Each structure stands twice: as C-alpha cells, then as structure tokens.
Coordinates of all heavy atoms in Angstrom, one line a residue:
M1 N 7.9 0.2 -1.5 CA 7.7 -1.2 -1.9 C 8.7 -1.5 -3.1 O 9.0 -0.6 -3.8 CB 6.3 -1.4 -2.3 CG 5.3 -1.4 -1.1 SD 3.7 -2.1 -1.5 CE 3.0 -0.8 -2.3
L2 N 9.0 -2.7 -3.2 CA 9.8 -3.2 -4.2 C 9.0 -4.0 -5.2 O 8.0 -4.6 -4.8 CB 10.9 -4.1 -3.7 CG 11.8 -3.4 -2.6 CD1 12.7 -4.4 -2.0 CD2 12.7 -2.3 -3.3
P3 N 9.3 -4.1 -6.5 CA 8.5 -4.8 -7.5 C 8.4 -6.3 -7.1 O 9.3 -6.9 -6.5 CB 9.3 -4.7 -8.8 CG 10.1 -3.5 -8.6 CD 10.4 -3.4 -7.1
S4 N 7.2 -6.9 -7.3 CA 7.0 -8.3 -6.9 C 6.3 -9.1 -8.0 O 5.3 -9.7 -7.8 CB 6.3 -8.4 -5.6 OG 5.0 -7.9 -5.8
S5 N 6.9 -9.2 -9.2 CA 6.2 -9.9 -10.3 C 6.2 -11.4 -10.0 O 7.2 -12.0 -9.6 CB 7.0 -9.7 -11.6 OG 7.0 -8.3 -11.8
G6 N 5.0 -12.0 -10.2 CA 4.9 -13.5 -10.1 C 5.2 -14.0 -8.7 O 5.8 -15.1 -8.5
S7 N 4.7 -13.3 -7.7 CA 4.9 -13.7 -6.3 C 3.7 -13.5 -5.5 O 2.8 -12.8 -5.9 CB 6.1 -12.9 -5.8 OG 6.3 -13.2 -4.4
Y8 N 3.6 -14.2 -4.4 CA 2.6 -14.0 -3.4 C 3.1 -13.1 -2.2 O 2.5 -13.1 -1.1 CB 2.1 -15.3 -2.8 CG 1.3 -16.1 -3.8 CD1 1.9 -17.2 -4.4 CD2 0.0 -15.7 -4.2 CE1 1.2 -18.0 -5.3 CE2 -0.7 -16.4 -5.2 CZ -0.1 -17.6 -5.7 OH -0.8 -18.3 -6.6
F9 N 4.2 -12.5 -2.4 CA 4.9 -11.7 -1.4 C 5.2 -10.3 -1.9 O 5.5 -10.1 -3.1 CB 6.2 -12.3 -0.9 CG 6.0 -13.6 -0.3 CD1 6.1 -14.8 -1.0 CD2 5.8 -13.7 1.1 CE1 5.9 -16.0 -0.4 CE2 5.6 -14.9 1.7 CZ 5.7 -16.1 1.0
Q10 N 5.0 -9.3 -1.0 CA 5.4 -7.9 -1.3 C 6.6 -7.6 -0.4 O 6.5 -7.7 0.8 CB 4.3 -7.0 -1.0 CG 4.6 -5.5 -1.3 CD 5.0 -5.3 -2.7 OE1 4.2 -5.5 -3.6 NE2 6.2 -4.8 -2.9
S11 N 7.7 -7.2 -1.0 CA 8.9 -6.8 -0.2 C 8.8 -5.3 0.0 O 8.5 -4.5 -0.8 CB 10.2 -7.2 -0.9 OG 10.3 -8.6 -1.1
V12 N 9.2 -4.9 1.3 CA 9.1 -3.5 1.7 C 10.3 -3.1 2.4 O 10.8 -3.8 3.4 CB 7.8 -3.3 2.6 CG1 7.7 -1.9 3.1 CG2 6.6 -3.8 1.9
K13 N 10.9 -2.0 2.0 CA 12.0 -1.4 2.7 C 11.5 -0.6 3.8 O 10.5 0.1 3.7 CB 12.8 -0.5 1.7 CG 13.6 -1.2 0.7 CD 14.4 -0.3 -0.2 CE 15.2 -1.1 -1.2 NZ 16.2 -0.2 -1.9
Y14 N 12.2 -0.7 5.0 CA 11.7 0.0 6.2 C 12.8 0.9 6.8 O 12.6 1.5 7.9 CB 11.1 -1.0 7.2 CG 12.2 -1.8 7.8 CD1 12.9 -1.4 9.0 CD2 12.5 -3.0 7.3 CE1 13.9 -2.1 9.5 CE2 13.5 -3.8 7.9 CZ 14.2 -3.4 9.0 OH 15.2 -4.1 9.5
G15 N 14.0 0.9 6.3 CA 15.1 1.6 6.9 C 14.9 3.0 7.2 O 15.5 3.6 8.1
H16 N 14.0 3.7 6.5 CA 13.7 5.1 6.8 C 12.8 5.2 8.1 O 12.6 6.3 8.6 CB 13.0 5.7 5.6 CG 11.7 5.1 5.3 ND1 11.6 3.8 4.7 CD2 10.4 5.5 5.5 CE1 10.3 3.5 4.5 NE2 9.6 4.5 5.0
L17 N 12.3 4.1 8.6 CA 11.4 4.1 9.8 C 12.2 3.8 11.1 O 11.8 4.4 12.1 CB 10.3 3.1 9.6 CG 9.3 3.4 8.5 CD1 8.4 2.2 8.3 CD2 8.6 4.7 8.6
T18 N 13.1 2.9 11.0 CA 13.8 2.4 12.2 C 15.2 1.8 11.8 O 15.3 1.4 10.7 CB 13.0 1.4 13.0 OG1 13.8 1.0 14.2 CG2 12.6 0.2 12.2
D19 N 16.1 1.8 12.7 CA 17.4 1.2 12.4 C 17.5 -0.2 13.0 O 18.5 -0.8 13.0 CB 18.6 2.1 12.9 CG 18.5 2.3 14.4 OD1 17.6 1.8 15.1 OD2 19.5 2.8 15.0
E20 N 16.4 -0.7 13.5 CA 16.3 -2.1 14.0 C 16.7 -3.1 12.9 O 16.4 -2.9 11.7 CB 14.9 -2.5 14.5 CG 14.5 -1.7 15.7 CD 13.0 -2.0 16.0 OE1 12.8 -3.0 16.7 OE2 12.2 -1.2 15.6
A21 N 17.3 -4.2 13.4 CA 17.6 -5.3 12.4 C 16.3 -5.9 11.9 O 15.3 -5.8 12.6 CB 18.4 -6.4 13.2
D22 N 16.3 -6.4 10.7 CA 15.1 -6.9 10.2 C 14.5 -8.0 11.0 O 13.3 -8.1 11.2 CB 15.3 -7.4 8.7 CG 16.2 -8.5 8.5 OD1 16.9 -9.0 9.4 OD2 16.3 -9.0 7.3
T23 N 15.3 -8.9 11.6 CA 14.7 -9.9 12.5 C 14.1 -9.4 13.7 O 13.0 -9.8 14.1 CB 15.8 -10.9 12.9 OG1 16.9 -10.2 13.5 CG2 16.3 -11.7 11.7
E24 N 14.7 -8.3 14.3 CA 14.1 -7.7 15.5 C 12.8 -6.9 15.1 O 11.8 -7.0 15.9 CB 15.1 -6.7 16.1 CG 16.3 -7.3 16.7 CD 17.3 -6.3 17.1 OE1 17.0 -5.1 17.2 OE2 18.5 -6.7 17.4
F25 N 12.8 -6.2 14.0 CA 11.6 -5.5 13.6 C 10.5 -6.4 13.2 O 9.3 -6.1 13.6 CB 12.0 -4.5 12.5 CG 10.9 -3.5 12.2 CD1 10.3 -2.8 13.2 CD2 10.5 -3.2 10.9 CE1 9.3 -1.8 12.9 CE2 9.6 -2.3 10.6 CZ 9.0 -1.6 11.6
A26 N 10.8 -7.5 12.6 CA 9.8 -8.5 12.2 C 9.1 -9.1 13.5 O 7.9 -9.2 13.5 CB 10.4 -9.6 11.3
L27 N 9.9 -9.4 14.4 CA 9.4 -9.9 15.7 C 8.5 -8.9 16.4 O 7.4 -9.2 16.9 CB 10.5 -10.4 16.6 CG 11.1 -11.7 16.3 CD1 12.3 -12.0 17.2 CD2 10.1 -12.8 16.5
R28 N 8.9 -7.6 16.4 CA 8.2 -6.6 17.0 C 6.8 -6.3 16.3 O 5.8 -6.2 17.0 CB 9.0 -5.3 17.1 CG 8.4 -4.3 18.0 CD 9.4 -3.3 18.6 NE 9.9 -2.3 17.6 CZ 9.3 -1.1 17.4 NH1 8.2 -0.8 18.1 NH2 9.8 -0.3 16.5
L29 N 6.9 -6.3 15.0 CA 5.6 -6.2 14.3 C 4.6 -7.3 14.6 O 3.4 -7.1 14.7 CB 5.9 -6.1 12.8 CG 6.4 -4.8 12.2 CD1 6.7 -5.0 10.7 CD2 5.3 -3.7 12.4
T30 N 5.2 -8.5 14.7 CA 4.3 -9.7 15.0 C 3.7 -9.6 16.4 O 2.5 -9.8 16.6 CB 5.1 -11.0 14.8 OG1 5.6 -11.1 13.5 CG2 4.2 -12.2 15.1
R31 N 4.6 -9.3 17.3 CA 4.1 -9.2 18.7 C 3.2 -8.0 19.0 O 2.2 -8.1 19.7 CB 5.3 -9.2 19.7 CG 6.1 -10.4 19.7 CD 7.3 -10.3 20.7 NE 8.0 -11.6 20.7 CZ 9.3 -11.7 20.8 NH1 10.1 -10.7 20.9 NH2 9.8 -12.9 20.8
E32 N 3.6 -6.8 18.5 CA 2.9 -5.6 18.9 C 1.8 -5.2 18.0 O 0.8 -4.6 18.4 CB 3.9 -4.5 19.1 CG 5.0 -4.7 20.2 CD 6.0 -3.6 20.3 OE1 5.8 -2.5 19.8 OE2 7.1 -3.9 20.9
A33 N 1.9 -5.5 16.7 CA 0.9 -5.1 15.7 C 0.0 -6.3 15.3 O -1.0 -6.2 14.7 CB 1.5 -4.5 14.5
G34 N 0.5 -7.5 15.6 CA -0.2 -8.7 15.2 C -0.1 -9.0 13.7 O -1.0 -9.7 13.2
V35 N 0.9 -8.5 13.0 CA 1.1 -8.7 11.6 C 2.4 -9.4 11.4 O 3.5 -8.9 11.8 CB 1.1 -7.4 10.8 CG1 1.4 -7.6 9.4 CG2 -0.2 -6.7 11.0
A36 N 2.4 -10.6 10.8 CA 3.6 -11.4 10.6 C 4.2 -11.1 9.3 O 3.5 -10.8 8.3 CB 3.2 -12.9 10.7
C37 N 5.5 -11.1 9.3 CA 6.3 -10.9 8.1 C 7.6 -11.7 8.1 O 7.9 -12.3 9.2 CB 6.6 -9.4 7.9 SG 7.4 -8.7 9.3
I38 N 8.3 -11.7 7.1 CA 9.6 -12.5 7.0 C 10.7 -11.5 6.8 O 10.8 -10.8 5.8 CB 9.5 -13.5 5.8 CG1 8.3 -14.4 5.9 CG2 10.8 -14.3 5.7 CD1 8.0 -15.1 4.7
P39 N 11.7 -11.5 7.7 CA 12.9 -10.7 7.4 C 13.8 -11.4 6.3 O 14.0 -12.6 6.4 CB 13.6 -10.8 8.8 CG 13.1 -12.0 9.5 CD 11.8 -12.3 8.9
T40 N 14.2 -10.6 5.4 CA 14.9 -11.2 4.2 C 16.3 -11.6 4.6 O 16.9 -12.4 3.8 CB 14.9 -10.2 3.0 OG1 15.6 -9.0 3.4 CG2 13.5 -9.9 2.5
S41 N 16.8 -11.2 5.7 CA 18.2 -11.7 6.0 C 18.3 -13.2 6.2 O 19.3 -13.8 6.1 CB 18.7 -10.9 7.3 OG 17.9 -11.3 8.4
V42 N 17.1 -13.8 6.5 CA 17.1 -15.2 6.7 C 17.4 -16.0 5.4 O 17.7 -17.2 5.5 CB 15.8 -15.8 7.4 CG1 15.6 -15.1 8.7 CG2 14.6 -15.6 6.4
F43 N 17.3 -15.3 4.3 CA 17.6 -16.0 3.0 C 19.1 -15.9 2.6 O 19.4 -16.4 1.6 CB 16.7 -15.4 1.9 CG 15.2 -15.6 2.2 CD1 14.4 -14.6 2.6 CD2 14.7 -16.9 2.1 CE1 13.1 -14.8 2.8 CE2 13.3 -17.1 2.3 CZ 12.5 -16.1 2.7
Y44 N 19.8 -15.1 3.4 CA 21.3 -14.9 3.0 C 22.2 -15.8 3.9 O 21.9 -15.8 5.1 CB 21.6 -13.4 3.2 CG 21.0 -12.5 2.2 CD1 19.8 -11.9 2.5 CD2 21.5 -12.4 0.9 CE1 19.1 -11.0 1.6 CE2 20.9 -11.5 0.0 CZ 19.7 -10.9 0.3 OH 19.1 -10.1 -0.6
T45 N 23.2 -16.4 3.4 CA 24.1 -17.2 4.1 C 24.7 -16.5 5.3 O 24.8 -17.0 6.4 CB 25.2 -17.8 3.2 OG1 24.6 -18.5 2.1 CG2 26.1 -18.7 3.9
R46 N 25.1 -15.2 5.0 CA 25.7 -14.4 6.0 C 24.7 -13.5 6.8 O 25.2 -12.7 7.6 CB 26.8 -13.5 5.4 CG 27.9 -14.4 4.8 CD 29.1 -13.5 4.3 NE 30.1 -14.4 3.9 CZ 30.9 -14.2 2.8 NH1 30.6 -13.2 2.1 NH2 31.8 -15.0 2.5
G47 N 23.5 -13.7 6.6 CA 22.5 -12.9 7.3 C 22.5 -11.4 6.9 O 22.1 -10.6 7.8
T48 N 22.8 -11.1 5.7 CA 22.8 -9.7 5.2 C 21.5 -9.0 5.5 O 20.5 -9.5 5.0 CB 23.2 -9.7 3.7 OG1 24.4 -10.4 3.6 CG2 23.4 -8.3 3.3
D49 N 21.5 -7.9 6.1 CA 20.3 -7.2 6.5 C 20.2 -5.9 5.6 O 21.0 -5.0 5.7 CB 20.4 -6.8 8.0 CG 19.1 -6.1 8.4 OD1 18.2 -5.8 7.6 OD2 19.0 -5.7 9.6
H50 N 19.3 -5.9 4.7 CA 19.0 -4.8 3.8 C 17.9 -4.0 4.3 O 17.4 -3.1 3.5 CB 18.8 -5.3 2.4 CG 20.0 -5.9 1.7 ND1 21.0 -5.2 1.3 CD2 20.2 -7.2 1.5 CE1 21.9 -6.0 0.8 NE2 21.5 -7.3 0.9
K51 N 17.4 -4.2 5.5 CA 16.2 -3.5 6.0 C 15.0 -3.7 5.1 O 14.3 -2.8 4.8 CB 16.5 -2.0 6.2 CG 17.7 -1.7 7.0 CD 17.4 -1.9 8.5 CE 18.6 -1.4 9.3 NZ 19.2 -2.4 10.1
V52 N 14.8 -5.0 4.8 CA 13.6 -5.4 3.9 C 12.8 -6.5 4.6 O 13.4 -7.4 5.1 CB 14.1 -5.8 2.5 CG1 13.0 -6.3 1.7 CG2 14.8 -4.7 1.8
L53 N 11.5 -6.4 4.6 CA 10.6 -7.4 5.1 C 9.7 -7.9 4.0 O 9.4 -7.1 3.1 CB 9.8 -6.8 6.2 CG 10.5 -6.3 7.4 CD1 9.5 -5.7 8.4 CD2 11.3 -7.4 8.1
R54 N 9.3 -9.1 4.0 CA 8.4 -9.7 3.1 C 7.0 -9.9 3.7 O 7.0 -10.5 4.8 CB 8.9 -11.1 2.5 CG 10.1 -11.0 1.6 CD 10.6 -12.3 1.2 NE 9.5 -13.0 0.5 CZ 9.6 -14.3 0.1 NH1 10.7 -15.0 0.3 NH2 8.7 -14.9 -0.6
F55 N 6.0 -9.5 3.1 CA 4.6 -9.7 3.6 C 3.9 -10.6 2.5 O 3.9 -10.3 1.3 CB 3.9 -8.4 3.7 CG 4.4 -7.5 4.8 CD1 5.5 -6.6 4.6 CD2 3.9 -7.6 6.1 CE1 6.0 -5.8 5.6 CE2 4.4 -6.8 7.1 CZ 5.5 -5.9 6.8
C56 N 3.2 -11.6 3.0 CA 2.4 -12.4 2.1 C 1.1 -11.8 1.9 O 0.4 -11.4 2.8 CB 2.2 -13.8 2.7 SG 1.3 -14.9 1.7
F57 N 0.7 -11.7 0.6 CA -0.6 -11.1 0.3 C -1.6 -12.1 -0.3 O -2.7 -11.8 -0.8 CB -0.5 -9.9 -0.6 CG 0.1 -10.1 -1.9 CD1 -0.6 -10.6 -3.0 CD2 1.5 -9.8 -2.1 CE1 0.0 -10.8 -4.2 CE2 2.1 -10.0 -3.3 CZ 1.3 -10.5 -4.4
A58 N -1.3 -13.4 -0.2 CA -2.2 -14.5 -0.6 C -3.2 -14.8 0.6 O -3.2 -15.8 1.2 CB -1.5 -15.7 -1.0
K59 N -4.0 -13.8 0.9 CA -4.9 -13.8 2.0 C -6.3 -13.3 1.5 O -6.4 -12.7 0.5 CB -4.4 -12.9 3.1 CG -3.0 -13.1 3.5 CD -2.9 -14.3 4.4 CE -1.4 -14.4 4.9 NZ -1.2 -15.7 5.5
K60 N -7.3 -13.5 2.4 CA -8.6 -12.9 2.1 C -8.5 -11.4 2.2 O -7.7 -10.9 3.0 CB -9.6 -13.4 3.2 CG -9.9 -14.9 3.1 CD -10.9 -15.3 4.1 CE -11.2 -16.8 4.1 NZ -12.0 -17.2 5.2
Q61 N -9.4 -10.7 1.5 CA -9.3 -9.3 1.5 C -9.5 -8.7 2.9 O -8.8 -7.7 3.2 CB -10.4 -8.7 0.5 CG -10.3 -7.2 0.3 CD -8.9 -6.8 -0.3 OE1 -8.5 -7.3 -1.3 NE2 -8.3 -5.8 0.4
E62 N -10.4 -9.3 3.6 CA -10.6 -8.7 5.0 C -9.4 -8.9 5.9 O -9.2 -8.1 6.8 CB -11.9 -9.3 5.6 CG -11.9 -10.8 5.8 CD -12.6 -11.5 4.7 OE1 -12.8 -10.9 3.6 OE2 -13.0 -12.7 4.9
T63 N -8.7 -9.9 5.7 CA -7.4 -10.2 6.4 C -6.4 -9.1 6.0 O -5.7 -8.5 6.9 CB -6.9 -11.6 6.2 OG1 -7.8 -12.5 6.5 CG2 -5.6 -11.8 6.9
L64 N -6.3 -8.8 4.7 CA -5.4 -7.8 4.3 C -5.8 -6.4 4.8 O -4.9 -5.6 5.3 CB -5.3 -7.8 2.8 CG -4.7 -9.0 2.1 CD1 -4.9 -9.0 0.6 CD2 -3.3 -9.2 2.5
D65 N -7.1 -6.1 4.8 CA -7.6 -4.8 5.3 C -7.2 -4.7 6.8 O -6.8 -3.6 7.2 CB -9.1 -4.7 5.0 CG -9.4 -4.6 3.6 OD1 -8.6 -4.2 2.7 OD2 -10.6 -4.8 3.3
D66 N -7.4 -5.7 7.5 CA -7.2 -5.7 9.0 C -5.7 -5.5 9.2 O -5.3 -4.7 10.1 CB -7.6 -7.0 9.6 CG -7.4 -7.0 11.1 OD1 -7.8 -6.1 11.8 OD2 -6.8 -8.0 11.6
A67 N -4.8 -6.2 8.4 CA -3.4 -6.0 8.6 C -3.0 -4.6 8.3 O -2.1 -4.0 9.0 CB -2.6 -7.0 7.6
V68 N -3.5 -4.0 7.2 CA -3.2 -2.6 6.9 C -3.6 -1.7 8.0 O -2.8 -0.8 8.5 CB -3.9 -2.1 5.6 CG1 -3.8 -0.6 5.4 CG2 -3.3 -2.9 4.4
N69 N -4.8 -1.9 8.6 CA -5.2 -1.0 9.7 C -4.3 -1.2 10.9 O -4.0 -0.3 11.6 CB -6.7 -1.3 10.1 CG -7.6 -0.8 9.0 OD1 -7.3 0.2 8.4 ND2 -8.7 -1.5 8.8
R70 N -3.9 -2.5 11.2 CA -3.0 -2.7 12.3 C -1.7 -2.0 12.1 O -1.1 -1.4 13.1 CB -2.8 -4.2 12.5 CG -4.0 -4.9 13.1 CD -3.7 -6.5 13.0 NE -4.8 -7.2 13.5 CZ -4.9 -7.8 14.6 NH1 -3.8 -7.8 15.4 NH2 -5.9 -8.5 15.0
L71 N -1.1 -2.1 10.9 CA 0.1 -1.4 10.6 C 0.0 0.1 10.7 O 0.9 0.8 11.2 CB 0.7 -1.8 9.2 CG 1.1 -3.3 9.2 CD1 1.4 -3.6 7.7 CD2 2.3 -3.5 10.0
L72 N -1.1 0.7 10.3 CA -1.3 2.1 10.4 C -1.4 2.5 11.8 O -1.0 3.7 12.2 CB -2.6 2.5 9.6 CG -2.5 2.5 8.1 CD1 -3.9 2.7 7.5 CD2 -1.5 3.5 7.6
D73 N -2.0 1.7 12.7 CA -2.1 2.0 14.1 C -0.9 1.7 14.9 O -0.7 2.1 16.1 CB -3.3 1.3 14.7 CG -4.6 1.7 14.2 OD1 -4.7 2.9 13.7 OD2 -5.6 1.0 14.4
F74 N 0.1 1.0 14.3 CA 1.3 0.5 15.0 C 2.1 1.7 15.5 O 2.4 2.6 14.7 CB 2.1 -0.4 14.1 CG 3.4 -0.9 14.7 CD1 3.4 -1.7 15.8 CD2 4.6 -0.5 14.1 CE1 4.6 -2.2 16.3 CE2 5.8 -0.9 14.7 CZ 5.8 -1.8 15.7
K75 N 2.5 1.7 16.7 CA 3.3 2.7 17.3 C 4.8 2.3 17.1 O 5.3 1.4 17.7 CB 3.0 2.9 18.8 CG 1.6 3.2 19.1 CD 1.2 4.5 18.5 CE -0.2 4.9 19.0 NZ -1.2 5.1 17.9
L76 N 5.4 3.0 16.2 CA 6.8 2.7 15.8 C 7.8 2.9 17.0 O 8.7 2.2 17.3 CB 7.2 3.5 14.6 CG 8.6 3.1 14.0 CD1 8.6 1.6 13.6 CD2 8.9 4.0 12.8
L77 N 7.5 4.0 17.7 CA 8.4 4.4 18.8 C 8.1 3.5 20.0 O 6.9 3.3 20.3 CB 8.3 5.8 19.1 CG 8.7 6.8 18.0 CD1 8.4 8.2 18.4 CD2 10.1 6.6 17.6
R78 N 9.1 3.1 20.7 CA 8.9 2.2 21.9 C 8.5 3.1 23.1 O 8.9 4.2 23.3 CB 10.1 1.4 22.2 CG 10.4 0.4 21.1 CD 11.7 -0.3 21.4 NE 12.1 -0.8 20.1 CZ 13.2 -1.5 19.9 NH1 14.0 -1.7 20.9 NH2 13.5 -2.0 18.8

C-alpha cells in the first residue's frame, strides 16, 4: 500500500501479482471479484501505467469487510 493522507482512497501497487495493465486488472477485479477500483493510468495524459489501483474506503464497515473477503477469495490466475 502507498500512503494516503487526507484522502478517501487507498492506492495499492499490484505489479508483484500480475503483469496485466491497470485498466485490464481493474476490469477483471470488478467483473470476477465484484470489487470496483480505479486504475491510476486514467489520471495521466499519456496513460502511464505504474501498476497501481485506487480503492475507495469511504464505505460502511460491512461493505469494506465484504470487499476484503472477496479479494482474499479472488483467483488471480485465469
């Protein structure tokens, strides 16, 4: 995880898990795990991919707990 002072988002590096582009991995997490996130490349003019995703944590605790469980159960390999 990356520091997130004064934000409702936690940025997470995932390059050690997969070499997928952040946009592809974000879509796959949403579709297969049911957890939405934001690929940070969308914030760069040139679409620079640093293998970082943003997750919003301004949610109810039970929603966050459910998301954590879904991510823990997520099958990374296709």
Side-chain angles (χ1 to χ4, degrees):
M1 287 195 282
L2 301 170
S4 63
S5 302
S7 175
Y8 292 107
F9 295 92
Q10 178 63 59
S11 295
V12 179
K13 290 184 176 189
Y14 70 87
H16 61 288
L17 299 174
T18 179
D19 62 354
E20 291 174 86
D22 63 353
T23 52
E24 293 173 14
F25 193 46
L27 282 174
R28 192 156 75 91
L29 281 176
T30 303
R31 289 180 179 143
E32 297 178 18
V35 177
C37 56
I38 303 164
T40 60
S41 67
V42 301
F43 298 108
Y44 294 94
T45 304
R46 294 187 176 138
T48 306
D49 184 358
H50 294 286
K51 306 282 188 242
V52 175
L53 300 174
R54 288 177 61 182
F55 293 87
C56 180
F57 59 83
K59 309 284 182 187
K60 294 179 182 177
Q61 187 61 49
E62 59 263 20
T63 302
L64 295 173
D65 292 341
D66 183 49
V68 168
N69 289 327
R70 288 169 181 255
L71 290 172
L72 289 171
D73 291 341
F74 178 64
K75 303 296 186 241
L76 189 59
L77 301 176
R78 295 176 199 177

